[in-house]
Amino acid sequence: MEQKIYPVDVISVCAADGSIRPLRFRMENGNDGFIRVDISRVINCRQIQYVGIEAYVFLCEAWMEEKRQLLELRYTIRSHTWCLLRVVN
């Protein structure tokens, strides 16, 4: 996968303490279809701030195209949008 930020649709859980945990997401595969990715666990979550934009970056282990992958998802707080930043391996 090339280094490009992909907007994704995410199903997540919001806990009573305000924390967010992504469960699964889907993204376009370029052929007018979608790829569904199930997240098996969230390894790390960190809050970042850049140019006045607050966001959370999640390092996740997931099943993507029948392979276990490490990937980074970003949730931008102000715009409530999710994107796939990169696939680590």
Side-chain angles (χ1 to χ4, degrees):
M1 183 176 283
E2 59 203 42
Q3 290 291 339
K4 185 178 174 185
I5 296 175
Y6 295 95
V8 293
D9 299 325
V10 175
I11 296 175
S12 63
V13 173
C14 299
D17 64 359
S19 63
I20 300 171
R21 181 187 181 294
L23 299 176
R24 93 173 39 113
F25 69 91
R26 72 177 186 166
M27 59 186 252
E28 292 184 35
N29 67 357
N31 300 329
D32 296 326
F34 291 95
I35 297 171
R36 176 182 155 171
V37 179
D38 294 318
I39 297 171
S40 51
R41 71 182 177 124
V42 175
I43 298 169
N44 186 14
C45 175
R46 67 185 193 281
Q47 186 173 6
I48 60 171
Q49 293 185 0
Y50 56 96
V51 194
I53 298 173
E54 294 180 278
Y56 290 104
V57 176
F58 297 88
L59 177 63
C60 303
E61 184 178 62
W63 285 98
M64 187 170 172
E65 298 174 345
E66 299 180 12
K67 294 187 287 188
R68 188 170 295 262
Q69 304 261 346
L70 286 177
L71 47 89
E72 285 187 339
L73 288 174
R74 181 179 67 200
Y75 174 69
T76 307
I77 296 169
R78 182 169 291 176
S79 63
H80 304 290
T81 57
W82 289 87
C83 61
L84 176 63
L85 290 177
R86 66 186 179 122
V87 177
V88 178
N89 62 348

